[in-house]
Amino acid sequence: MQLGNISVILITFTAMLLSVEAFEYAILINFISSVVCACYAYSGAHTTALFLAWCNVHAFIFSPLVNVTEQPSVKLLVLFLLSLMFGAFGIGARRN
């Protein structure tokens, strides 16, 4: 379990760094990582989920692919994923 957590954290952190350079597959990894973050938060692993959320929020803010104004559907997807992550935090905190 620890090796799985560490590998998810390393992949997400690397994808965050690559998304700043407009590497289009990195932002896709951050989209997937948002769902994984919501699963961690819902199950109660808040420390891991908070780090993943921090990486994902930074990747979405600084990625030039998300900040394109011609694609509002991408921004809506990002807002949905952020709502999903932090909603899962609320449910996971309430359960524990």
Side-chain angles (χ1 to χ4, degrees):
M1 185 67 176
Q2 289 286 13
L3 185 61
N5 289 345
I6 291 171
S7 62
V8 167
I9 288 171
L10 285 176
I11 289 171
T12 303
F13 188 73
T14 305
M16 177 194 69
L17 294 177
L18 289 176
S19 68
V20 175
E21 298 296 326
F23 185 64
E24 57 266 358
Y25 296 113
I27 202 69
L28 178 66
I29 293 171
N30 284 108
F31 283 140
I32 294 169
S33 175
S34 296
V35 175
V36 172
C37 174
C39 292
Y40 275 131
Y42 183 75
S43 67
H46 296 295
T47 306
T48 304
L50 277 174
F51 183 73
L52 292 178
W54 178 79
C55 288
N56 292 326
V57 167
H58 279 357
F60 294 146
I61 288 173
F62 294 118
S63 175
L65 297 175
V66 174
N67 292 328
V68 177
T69 58
E70 296 93 27
Q71 296 185 1
S73 62
V74 174
K75 288 186 179 183
L76 287 175
L77 178 64
V78 168
L79 286 175
F80 172 73
L81 288 173
L82 291 175
S83 301
L84 179 76
M85 282 191 306
F86 292 110
F89 273 118
I91 293 171
R94 187 174 180 181
R95 284 182 24 184
N96 291 340

